[in-house]
């Protein structure tokens, strides 16, 4: 699992460097696909390279990141956007070395309107000068408009897709939503893959790795 996240980190960082991006949104089509844990682990993996990273929990309706990192959520993004707190008061510094976190904060009555105001634009501009990478965990694209609103303010987006959970047409619909925001799509993460021999992925990848890597460890030099 650790190696998978490291590989994912490398792929995203390469995509970001090619497309000159700093602010990246991670979203999914529907709840339960693993976007929040993916956002957290990608952020940790990026921070382990020595880069200065910020993770923002932009799911103002059903936040998760404060639970993952075991920090309080009394003050967060909603507090900053609502002008009830400053960035310095809301940020949790070094939740992991080189990784800062802004939790979602108290649930506001108008999440979409709050994310669509100029305060968020001002915050994003300021963060570009502070961090090497900013990862934003948003609500699912198929549930509310929040993720599409946030995508308009980001340089790029990554879609997390749970294997055997959502159909192709729903993934396609989510990608079309992102394209409408003119946010660059950096790629997709196939999550929750069953690699057992009985599953489709287990049979496909087992055959692939057996074919191309099966001789390693048997004394062959290739």
């Amino acid at each position: 699992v650790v190696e998978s996240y490291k590989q994912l980190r490398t792929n995203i960082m390469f995509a970001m460097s090619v497309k000159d991006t700093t602010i990246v949104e991670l979203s999914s089509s529907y709840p339960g696909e693993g976007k929040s844990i993916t956002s957290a682990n990608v952020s940790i993996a990026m921070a382990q390279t020595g880069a200065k990273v910020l993770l923002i929990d932009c799911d103002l309706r059903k936040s998760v990141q404060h639970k993952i990192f075991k920090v309080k959520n009394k003050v967060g993004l909603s507090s900053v956007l609502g002008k009830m707190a400053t960035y310095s008061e809301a940020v949790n510094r070094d939740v992991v070395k080189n990784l800062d976190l802004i939790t979602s904060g108290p649930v506001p009555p108008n999440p979409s309107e709050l994310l669509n105001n100029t305060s968020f634009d001002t915050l994003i501009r300021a963060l570009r000068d502070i961090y090497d990478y900013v990862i934003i965990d948003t609500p699912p694209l198929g549930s509310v408009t929040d993720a599409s609103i946030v995508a308009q303010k980001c340089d790029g987006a990554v879609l997390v897709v749970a294997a055997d959970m959502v159909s192709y047409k729903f993934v396609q619909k989510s990608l079309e939503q992102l394209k409408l925001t003119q946010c660059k799509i950096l790629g997709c993460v196939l999550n929750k893959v069953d690699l057992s021999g009985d599953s489709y992925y287990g049979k496909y990848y087992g055959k692939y790795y057996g074919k191309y890597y099966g001789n390693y460890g048997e004394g062959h030099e290739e």
Side-chain angles (χ1 to χ4, degrees), residues 3-155:
E3 289 303 316
S4 294
Y5 279 118
K6 286 182 178 179
Q7 185 63 53
L8 177 58
R9 168 200 68 194
T10 302
N11 291 344
I12 292 177
M13 290 175 75
F14 268 125
M16 292 174 73
S17 64
V18 170
K19 296 183 180 291
D20 192 26
T21 59
T22 303
I23 315 289
V24 173
E25 166 184 318
L26 266 75
S27 190
S28 60
S29 298
Y30 289 101
E33 294 191 73
K35 64 171 181 60
S36 293
I37 195 66
T38 301
S39 299
N41 281 308
V42 166
S43 298
I44 292 170
M46 285 181 166
Q48 288 173 342
T49 68
K52 188 64 177 173
V53 183
L54 174 68
L55 172 61
I56 303 177
D57 191 340
C58 218
D59 194 338
L60 301 184
R61 304 166 193 267
K62 191 176 180 181
S63 56
V64 173
Q65 296 299 342
H66 68 284
K67 297 177 183 177
I68 294 175
F69 289 95
K70 299 180 180 179
V71 297
K72 294 181 179 179
N73 194 30
K74 292 182 178 180
V75 178
L77 180 62
S78 62
S79 310
V80 177
L81 300 184
K83 299 181 179 179
M84 293 179 288
T86 64
Y87 153 77
S88 298
E89 293 169 334
V91 67
N92 296 274
R93 300 189 186 278
D94 285 324
V95 290
V96 173
K97 186 178 179 181
N98 297 322
L99 174 61
D100 293 350
L101 168 68
I102 296 180
T103 63
S104 64
V107 178
N110 55 343
S112 298
E113 290 80 0
L114 205 58
L115 293 171
N116 205 26
N117 69 19
T118 56
S119 297
F120 198 20
D121 295 324
T122 302
L123 176 62
I124 291 295
R125 284 196 297 269
L127 295 177
R128 291 182 187 278
D129 297 327
I130 301 173
Y131 295 95
D132 297 313
Y133 302 106
V134 177
I135 305 297
I136 301 181
D137 176 20
T138 72
L141 285 153
S143 300
V144 290
T145 61
D146 298 14
S148 296
I149 292 172
V150 175
Q152 297 174 36
K153 307 173 189 295
C154 295
D155 303 321

Side-chain angles (χ1 to χ4, degrees), residues 173-191:
K173 183 178 178 180
S174 296
L175 290 173
E176 288 171 355
Q177 281 183 256
L178 288 174
K179 288 177 182 177
L180 287 174
T181 68
Q182 297 185 336
C183 182
K184 299 172 185 174
I185 300 173
L186 301 181
C188 293
V189 178
L190 186 61
N191 195 31

